[in-house]
Amino acid sequence: MLAAFTFNTAENLPVGLLELISESLRVSVSAVGLLVTGYGVTVAVASLPLAHAVRAVPRRHVLTGLLAALVVSSLVAASATSYWLLLVARLLTALAQALFWAVMGPVAVGLFVRAVRGRVVGALSVAGSLALVLGVPAGTWLGQQSNWKVPVAMLAALGLISLVTIAVLLPSSRPEEEPAAYGTSPDTRRFGIVLAAGTLSATGAFAGYTYIVKFLGDVSGFSSSAVSALFVVFGVACLAGVSITGAVLDRFAQSALTTAVATQAVGMLGLYAAGTHPVAAVVFLALMGGALGPVFMTTQNEMLHCAPGRTDMALAANSGAYNAGIAVGAAVGGLVLPLAGVRGTFLAGGLLTVGACTVLLGGRLLPGRDG
């Protein structure tokens, strides 16, 4: 959980430190923004190839190696005096995170009986969501009080704690012999449906979410200080969503995914239709936030069940596809914005999410296994 929190904080921390990094390294804010975009693209591209490359290496060794990479890259980033060195350090962290999400799930749930594995996935997702609610805001505050390099260096300390804990306490075994190495109910068709729905959902979410600040200011009429407060509301809703979903995931795995995607669609289309009314905007923003975390969490949980082969490969494919959806979604929003305005980005995102719902519901009408 600490490792998940640290990786997610590392991924998103530059968002809160944009201007500080920009001034310190004397580069544009948009160039610093590429530190986040490049990170996501690296995760999307590298997840599956890296998982395949280390498929025979014991998971304890893999995880300690990934956390060592996180520690080193964070220290390099904290000592960077040029933009390009910071970018290289970020890409090293991204490569480590790409593989981390593939191997972490099977290792964690394999330590518990099958009946509570959904709760374990939920706990890991809560830790990841806390990065947005607690990690990034705390890092941003610390950077403002001192220097942007201080919170980046703190990531190395957190990573070191996780590294030592896992190196000392995690059992070591051959990857294929671990309890959660293979899906509990292999199903090639279900695997494809979940992968497609998750990717469509991510594309839809980030077609709108990328421009949420502009939407809340221009359409809903909130002040900049109010928008900052609404980001806290969004983060708390995300945390509540993963907490509630994690509690019921073992009993309602497939329904939880469909419910999360449908809730995201309602939130986005509601913002499009009623976002000009401040109260309605807050309600639908909370719905969207409450669904965003659970969508990824429930697709990851599904992979542990329906993976047609090794679960680490399925999780890597899911993580890569989801991050690709994020990148494509931001691009789609960018194309829609000048044509239909910022409200149009939420309409496009909502319709893409409805497409994800259609994929899931269509899959239920076509039952059967091919695994």
Side-chain angles (χ1 to χ4, degrees), residues 48-100:
L48 196 55
L50 286 177
H52 187 266
V54 301
R55 64 191 182 281
V57 181
R59 305 291 89 169
R60 182 167 66 91
H61 298 162
V62 172
L63 285 172
T64 52
L66 296 177
L67 287 164
L70 172 63
V71 171
V72 171
S73 61
S74 297
L75 291 175
V76 170
S79 62
T81 55
S82 72
Y83 173 80
W84 295 108
L85 182 58
L86 179 58
L87 178 60
V88 169
R90 287 281 299 172
L91 294 181
L92 176 58
T93 308
L95 289 172
Q97 181 165 333
L99 186 54
F100 173 78

Side-chain angles (χ1 to χ4, degrees), residues 98 100-106 109 121 124-125 194-195 198 249 257 293-307 311-322:
F100 173 78
W101 287 113
V103 301
M104 175 268 293
V109 301
V121 173
L124 295 170
S125 297
V194 172
L195 199 64
L249 201 51
L257 173 57
V295 169
F296 182 67
M297 177 180 71
T298 50
T299 59
Q300 290 287 85
N301 184 64
E302 282 274 351
M303 292 295 157
L304 293 169
H305 293 288
C306 70
T311 51
D312 53 359
M313 297 299 166
L315 288 165
N318 188 57
S319 179
Y322 191 88

Side-chain angles (χ1 to χ4, degrees), residues 235-302:
V236 171
C238 182
L239 181 60
V242 295
S243 300
I244 294 169
T245 305
V248 302
L249 201 51
D250 290 306
R251 294 178 59 192
F252 308 106
Q254 293 191 17
S255 298
L257 173 57
T258 305
T259 300
V261 174
T263 302
Q264 179 182 303
V266 171
M268 298 195 75
L269 293 176
L271 282 168
Y272 164 73
T276 53
H277 303 285
V279 174
V282 173
V283 171
F284 288 116
L285 181 70
L287 281 176
M288 183 182 172
L292 194 59
V295 169
F296 182 67
M297 177 180 71
T298 50
T299 59
Q300 290 287 85
N301 184 64
E302 282 274 351

Side-chain angles (χ1 to χ4, degrees), residues 212-228 230 271 275-283 285:
I212 188 64
V213 172
K214 183 175 178 60
F215 182 95
L216 293 173
D218 294 357
V219 178
S220 303
F222 289 105
S223 66
S224 57
S225 59
V227 170
S228 297
L230 288 174
L271 282 168
T276 53
H277 303 285
V279 174
V282 173
V283 171
L285 181 70

Side-chain angles (χ1 to χ4, degrees), residues 3-370:
F5 171 83
T6 306
F7 267 116
N8 269 19
T9 301
E11 179 178 7
N12 295 285
L13 187 57
V15 173
L17 303 175
L18 283 177
E19 293 187 358
L20 293 175
I21 297 174
S22 172
E23 293 172 4
S24 174
L25 300 182
R26 298 178 181 176
V27 295
S28 67
V29 171
S30 60
V32 180
L34 288 175
L35 296 175
V36 178
T37 306
Y39 195 108
V41 172
T42 301
V43 173
V45 173
S47 293
L48 196 55
L50 286 177
H52 187 266
V54 301
R55 64 191 182 281
V57 181
R59 305 291 89 169
R60 182 167 66 91
H61 298 162
V62 172
L63 285 172
T64 52
L66 296 177
L67 287 164
L70 172 63
V71 171
V72 171
S73 61
S74 297
L75 291 175
V76 170
S79 62
T81 55
S82 72
Y83 173 80
W84 295 108
L85 182 58
L86 179 58
L87 178 60
V88 169
R90 287 281 299 172
L91 294 181
L92 176 58
T93 308
L95 289 172
Q97 181 165 333
L99 186 54
F100 173 78
W101 287 113
V103 301
M104 175 268 293
V107 170
V109 301
L111 298 173
F112 297 85
V113 297
R114 289 186 180 182
V116 298
R117 286 181 177 178
R119 288 166 58 190
V120 177
V121 173
L124 295 170
S125 297
V126 167
S129 297
L130 276 173
L132 298 178
V133 179
L134 177 62
V136 174
T140 301
W141 177 84
L142 186 59
Q144 291 170 342
Q145 301 304 310
S146 52
N147 183 290
W148 68 267
K149 297 183 177 184
V150 175
V152 175
M154 288 294 295
L155 296 173
L158 295 176
L160 185 60
I161 295 171
S162 299
L163 189 160
V164 172
T165 304
I166 287 174
V168 172
L169 297 178
L170 189 69
S172 182
S173 61
R174 294 175 60 84
E176 65 272 14
E177 295 173 353
E178 293 187 350
Y182 296 93
T184 55
S185 304
D187 188 337
T188 302
R189 178 181 294 171
R190 181 65 184 171
F191 171 78
I193 288 169
V194 172
L195 199 64
T199 305
L200 271 174
S201 180
T203 304
F206 283 84
Y209 180 68
T210 305
Y211 305 96
I212 188 64
V213 172
K214 183 175 178 60
F215 182 95
L216 293 173
D218 294 357
V219 178
S220 303
F222 289 105
S223 66
S224 57
S225 59
V227 170
S228 297
L230 288 174
F231 266 104
V232 176
V233 172
F234 187 92
V236 171
C238 182
L239 181 60
V242 295
S243 300
I244 294 169
T245 305
V248 302
L249 201 51
D250 290 306
R251 294 178 59 192
F252 308 106
Q254 293 191 17
S255 298
L257 173 57
T258 305
T259 300
V261 174
T263 302
Q264 179 182 303
V266 171
M268 298 195 75
L269 293 176
L271 282 168
Y272 164 73
T276 53
H277 303 285
V279 174
V282 173
V283 171
F284 288 116
L285 181 70
L287 281 176
M288 183 182 172
L292 194 59
V295 169
F296 182 67
M297 177 180 71
T298 50
T299 59
Q300 290 287 85
N301 184 64
E302 282 274 351
M303 292 295 157
L304 293 169
H305 293 288
C306 70
R310 286 263 294 269
T311 51
D312 53 359
M313 297 299 166
L315 288 165
N318 188 57
S319 179
Y322 191 88
N323 278 276
I326 291 174
V328 172
V332 168
L335 292 173
V336 171
L337 187 62
L339 299 175
V342 70
R343 286 184 68 198
T345 65
F346 279 83
L347 174 60
L351 292 176
L352 284 166
T353 309
V354 169
C357 287
T358 302
V359 169
L360 289 170
L361 295 174
R364 290 199 172 189
L365 298 176
L366 299 169
R369 290 183 182 174
D370 182 21

